Amino acid sequence: MAFQTQTTTTRSSGNLPIALLLLGSGALLWIRAALRTPSALALLPGADGCLTAGIVGVLLALLHGIPYRTALLWIAAPLVLVQVITSELAGSSFLPVLGIELTALGLFGLPLSRLPRRRTAAAGAVRSLREAHPSPS
């Protein structure tokens, strides 16, 4: 017997203010860094790798269905902390890296705030696998 699932869609508009804040602050940071020093956007290989890991990590989490806020809090925030520490140890400026990453994360959040969020709820009771496949012992 197949169970039917009901899906309800709601707009996740709570992501829009977060995405706009990230997009605006990120753009201001890297533009400020570029105006201050012309070579500020020339990143060290380590900073470039951290930037790639932060953006790709959040993107992969979003593709696997993790909510936007959770991906920012549990994936992006620890990686930003690692980027701050490594840029301080390397003696490079952290503003361009943070600005580029915040801009990318804000750009990820813009379409997510307009897409419907799907919730699935089982219509019937959940059966145990033990009843369907009894153990031979």
Side-chain angles (χ1 to χ4, degrees), residues 17-43:
I18 296 170
L20 288 175
L21 178 70
L22 291 175
L23 183 63
S25 61
L28 287 176
L29 280 176
W30 69 264
I31 288 173
R32 180 179 171 198
L35 289 176
R36 187 184 295 176
T37 308
S39 64
L41 297 177
L43 302 176

Side-chain angles (χ1 to χ4, degrees), residues 50-63:
C50 283
L51 179 65
T52 304
I55 292 172
V56 171
V58 171
L59 181 62
L60 287 175
L62 293 175
L63 288 175

